[in-house]
Amino acid sequence: MGLLAAGIGAGIVAVGAGIGIGMIGRSSVESIARQPEASGDIRGAMILTAALIEGVALIGAIVCILLALGIGQ
């Protein structure tokens, strides 16, 4: 049961990160289309935010792996 929960948790983490980064990409493209002169600032903020989302997703995946292996119980 623990392995199933860890697998489902890892899947949810991956889907959540994918949706979040997709929303960031969509918003940044819309923003650059509206204000092309601010593309450098928008791109920098987008990359920083995507990196933070990936970091949280990685932590979530590691927690799921630790739960699956039974470490910390």
Side-chain angles (χ1 to χ4, degrees):
M1 187 69 172
L3 290 174
L4 178 64
I8 291 172
I12 291 172
V13 166
V15 169
I19 290 172
I21 291 174
M23 292 174 68
I24 292 170
R26 181 192 67 205
S27 298
S28 65
V29 168
E30 287 177 5
S31 299
I32 290 172
R34 291 181 185 184
Q35 289 185 321
E37 66 274 1
S39 65
D41 294 334
I42 294 168
R43 188 175 300 118
M46 178 190 69
I47 291 171
L48 178 64
T49 308
L52 292 173
I53 289 175
E54 283 293 324
V56 170
L58 180 63
I59 290 171
I62 289 172
V63 167
C64 289
I65 290 170
L66 291 175
L67 287 174
L69 296 176
I71 298 172
Q73 291 181 2

